[in-house]
Amino acid sequence: MTDSEIVALYWQRSEEAISRTMDAYGRYLFRLSANILRIREEAEECVNETCLTAWNQMPTDRPARLLPYLGRISRCLSLNRLDYLTAQKRSADFTLQLSELAECLPAPDSTEHALESRELGAAISAFLREQSEDDRIVFVRRYWYSEPIRRIARSRGTRESEVKSRLFRIRQRLKKYLEKEGFSL
């Protein structure tokens, strides 16, 4: 079933939309949540909540591409759930991933942060389009999908140290690129 057919089911308020969504994208959504939360039950709950959120938002939204739409919902819900679960005690794995990018991104406390967020996203996308396919894949898997370095290395057929080095070099290039584009880091 195509994305547009599934979206049409949501618009028709057919409960089949949920089952079709789970058939098509359930594993993807679970893996995305599990990479962030590291707790199976919490990841499953986020996937269910993703479907509910999509159900509630579809009367106003009509996404052309369902997978990125659902992925964004799932990722936001998972990050919110992680904040709730780790209040006062940060998850070491995910905090490490965020700290890796900290020196490349503007400080979130600045008053201009809200205005720069959209521009920053566009600049990072432009930067990634200039990178090799391998660098883009490694970067996105680490910082969007929150995959552990070990899993990335295994899937790429390389050592963890090579993935770490590659990520370090990408972050350095990203920092220079963002500075050149006028972002204060």
Side-chain angles (χ1 to χ4, degrees), residues 12-166:
Q12 295 166 8
R13 307 312 280 166
S14 170
E15 291 183 14
E16 185 182 354
I18 303 293
S19 62
R20 295 294 185 166
T21 298
M22 292 303 290
D23 290 345
Y25 303 119
R27 278 200 268 182
Y28 164 82
L29 296 171
F30 175 78
R31 188 165 185 172
L32 179 60
S33 280
N35 284 342
I36 294 170
L37 295 168
R38 309 270 194 247
I39 302 170
R40 179 179 185 78
E41 294 79 15
E42 295 293 341
E44 289 171 352
E45 184 62 32
C46 278
V47 171
N48 292 335
E49 199 172 332
T50 297
C51 291
L52 176 63
T53 301
W55 179 270
N56 291 332
Q57 290 181 354
M58 283 293 176
T60 56
D61 293 346
R62 193 171 201 116
R65 294 177 39 221
L66 191 56
L67 181 62
Y69 177 82
L70 295 170
R72 183 176 180 139
I73 292 170
S74 183
R75 188 170 193 276
C76 288
L77 290 171
S78 298
L79 290 171
N80 288 343
R81 187 68 184 159
L82 180 67
D83 281 345
Y84 173 78
L85 293 172
T86 60
Q88 300 295 327
K89 56 172 183 136
R90 291 285 163 207
S91 165
D93 289 342
F94 197 71
T95 303
L96 174 63
Q97 291 171 23
L98 293 178
S99 69
E100 290 172 0
L101 282 176
E103 67 184 44
C104 301
L105 303 175
D109 296 338
S110 72
T111 56
E112 298 170 353
H113 178 69
L115 300 173
E116 286 186 343
S117 292
R118 188 167 287 179
E119 293 173 6
L120 177 62
I124 291 172
S125 293
F127 166 78
L128 288 174
R129 281 191 292 275
E130 294 177 2
Q131 304 307 302
S132 70
E133 182 178 0
D134 284 342
D135 283 352
R136 277 193 311 269
I137 289 169
V138 168
F139 185 90
V140 169
R141 287 181 70 177
R142 179 67 175 162
Y143 300 117
W144 177 258
Y145 294 108
S146 304
E147 286 192 21
I149 289 175
R150 173 177 287 138
R151 187 183 304 157
I152 297 169
R154 197 175 325 127
S155 72
R156 309 297 297 163
T158 188
R159 296 186 317 259
E160 288 180 45
S161 61
E162 290 177 33
V163 172
K164 288 178 185 177
S165 294
R166 174 174 268 178

